[in-house]
Amino acid sequence: MSIPLVEPRDGLPPLCESPDQFHEALARLEAGNGPLAIDTERASGIRYGNRAFLVQIRRAGCGTVLFDAEQHRTELGEILKPLLNSTTWVLHAAVSDLPSLQNFGWFPTRLFDTEVAGRLAGFDRVNLAAMVEKVLGLHLAKGLAQSDWSRRPIPAAWLTYAALDVEVLLELADSMAAILTADGKTAWAEQEFEHIRLQARQPQAESTWQDMKGISVLTRPPQLAVAQALWTTREAIALRKDLSPGRVLRNRVLLDVARTLPTSPVELAKIPGFPKNKGAAYRWFRVVSQALHTPREQWPQPSPQVFDPQSRSWTKHDKAAAAALSDAKNIVAEIASRYHVPESYVLPTAIIKKAVWSTRVAKNITSKEQLQDLLAQQAVRPWQRELVLEPLAAVLL
């Protein structure tokens, strides 16, 4: 039976809210030793962007420190940068936290991701609470992750919740490192951690209206013109009001408006989920109308059907290639089962498709060496290439 983890062992850590307090906290952290356990609390579904509103850091020898990140964001970044940029970090689900931490100018020298460690160890459930319970025998209550962390003052119960997220993260990392060593997967984990660390450093393309999930339901230029105008207007409003775009106009509603092309504010207001606030139908209908009155030559055009590795058409028309794709997926599934790791960790489906396409459709890869080069170009790590190269070459070449 697990033991409830209800409060930090050293009591509720101080909340640092000013540059002077940031300097004091830095001195405490510098007096500690070893890696930094780090977590953030965001308000992604509530506020615009993905910035951290609270940063929790724990280090052996000095305990946990909580940082209110909103009011003195620039100062916080600069004050902690010398320490954070010269230290190993322990994170859980690093891909979620690294972007908001990089906004402060922070970047680890090394990384240990306990979630990734759990996946490589073959755990069925890899959320933090499940792993803490399985590995350490402690029950960690969850439930506030989606709260509005921009709220001020932050309730004491929320601060306790946030502190507990890093309370045993270092111990969890030590235990997971031992498990990976026993499984012979330490090198695999190190390669995965470094891949995540370096990928986070790459410039991220900004999202556009064409990236909306479900945009493919729009097939005509006027629909696309309206979608573009609605998305652009929504982004401007969301940025100005510091709101998540979905709180201004949900994606599903936006796409329904663009798909149906309402001819009046009354018709627009009848779309399920459309905002009921006064005047919304007239304001958004003006956006629709203006988009439809722009010159037609300026309307976006539907994307042509692309015959590439990720399209479905080639597997429908080339039965031999489709069979090879099935064989390749089965190989990856068998390897994943043998080593108790997710199939996507052995080789993502998109890369399997590219390998099959290149060998069986485009036929620009004809040797094992070329196949290995392709995998390397797709950022397939050495441990993955070692597992998949020979069996894939046997069925594809």
Side-chain angles (χ1 to χ4, degrees):
M1 185 175 179
S2 58
I3 301 171
L5 187 61
V6 296
E7 60 182 21
R9 70 195 79 173
D10 302 319
L12 183 62
L15 177 63
C16 302
E17 303 174 279
S18 69
D20 286 345
Q21 292 174 332
F22 299 161
H23 280 292
E24 293 172 4
L26 174 63
R28 283 184 57 195
L29 291 169
E30 288 178 331
N33 59 84
L36 301 172
I38 304 178
D39 189 32
T40 68
E41 304 298 343
R42 304 181 297 278
S44 304
I46 299 168
R47 297 298 177 185
Y48 190 84
N50 194 35
R51 67 192 190 273
F53 287 91
L54 185 73
V55 178
Q56 309 99 280
I57 303 179
R58 183 174 182 83
R59 196 179 198 189
C62 67
T64 299
V65 183
L66 306 178
F67 295 94
D68 184 338
E70 184 65 1
Q71 296 304 314
H72 300 282
R73 187 169 295 272
T74 300
E75 295 90 338
L76 176 61
E78 290 301 317
I79 291 168
L80 295 191
K81 186 185 294 185
L83 173 64
L84 269 70
N85 288 10
S86 60
T87 315
T88 298
W89 297 1
V90 175
L91 299 172
H92 188 83
V95 293
S96 298
D97 287 309
L98 281 173
S100 60
L101 293 168
Q102 282 190 257
N103 288 338
F104 294 104
W106 302 339
F107 191 73
T109 56
R110 293 185 65 202
L111 176 69
F112 191 103
D113 187 328
T114 50
E115 183 196 53
V116 171
R119 293 194 186 279
L120 289 173
F123 288 12
D124 293 328
R125 299 170 61 211
V126 294
N127 64 74
L128 181 59
M131 289 187 63
V132 166
E133 187 155 8
K134 180 181 179 71
V135 177
L136 303 177
L138 299 171
H139 178 71
L140 182 63
K142 302 298 290 180
L144 290 175
Q146 303 305 314
S147 300
D148 182 4
W149 287 92
S150 66
R151 174 180 170 182
R152 294 296 182 274
I154 304 175
W158 291 22
L159 294 174
T160 296
Y161 168 92
L164 290 175
D165 274 352
V166 294
E167 178 77 6
V168 292
L169 195 54
L170 295 173
E171 290 90 334
L172 179 62
D174 288 342
S175 295
M176 291 309 304
I179 290 171
L180 292 171
T181 298
D183 289 348
K185 295 176 179 176
T186 298
W188 297 8
E190 290 174 347
Q191 291 172 35
E192 289 303 303
F193 300 156
E194 184 65 1
H195 174 72
I196 292 169
R197 189 183 78 91
L198 295 178
Q199 283 293 108
R201 203 75 190 261
Q202 299 300 313
Q204 301 299 310
E206 292 189 7
S207 295
T208 72
W209 66 276
Q210 294 165 307
D211 297 320
M212 278 190 295
K213 184 179 180 179
I215 192 72
S216 60
V217 302
L218 309 180
T219 58
R220 299 188 291 121
Q223 295 174 324
L224 296 171
V226 168
Q228 181 182 34
L230 291 172
W231 186 91
T232 303
T233 301
R234 183 182 69 171
E235 284 292 304
I237 295 172
L239 178 60
R240 185 176 73 251
K241 294 186 175 182
D242 191 17
L243 290 174
S244 168
R247 294 213 159 199
V248 177
L249 192 67
R250 294 179 181 176
N251 269 2
R252 178 178 56 78
V253 177
L254 189 158
L255 292 172
D256 280 348
V257 173
R259 180 178 56 81
T260 58
L261 298 177
T263 58
S264 70
V266 173
E267 189 177 329
L268 174 59
K270 292 179 180 178
I271 292 177
F274 189 80
K276 301 301 183 183
N277 47 307
K278 185 177 180 180
Y282 289 92
R283 290 192 297 273
W284 286 107
F285 183 74
R286 191 179 306 119
V287 177
V288 173
S289 180
Q290 289 173 347
L292 293 175
H293 282 86
T294 57
R296 294 195 173 197
E297 60 270 18
Q298 296 180 14
W299 288 354
Q301 298 300 308
S303 300
Q305 185 174 7
V306 179
F307 193 63
D308 67 9
Q310 304 313 318
S311 71
R312 297 180 179 179
S313 56
W314 64 273
T315 56
K316 292 180 179 179
H317 299 298
D318 191 329
K319 300 303 181 184
L325 178 60
S326 178
D327 289 342
K329 287 182 176 180
N330 288 338
I331 286 171
V332 170
E334 189 279 326
I335 293 172
S337 177
R338 189 193 322 159
Y339 290 99
H340 306 289
V341 295
E343 293 177 22
S344 62
Y345 269 48
V346 175
L347 200 64
T349 299
I351 298 178
I352 300 174
K353 287 183 176 181
K354 192 169 186 67
V356 175
W357 162 273
S358 300
T359 55
R360 293 302 186 89
V361 181
K363 297 182 179 179
N364 53 12
I365 288 183
T366 58
S367 70
K368 186 170 68 175
E369 290 72 25
Q370 290 176 322
L371 180 59
Q372 176 160 277
D373 289 343
L374 171 69
L375 296 176
Q377 291 165 9
Q378 298 299 310
V380 177
R381 271 69 77 198
W383 75 268
Q384 297 167 310
R385 300 202 299 268
E386 183 177 345
L387 292 179
V388 304
L389 180 61
E390 292 291 343
L392 283 183
V395 300
L396 297 181
L397 298 173

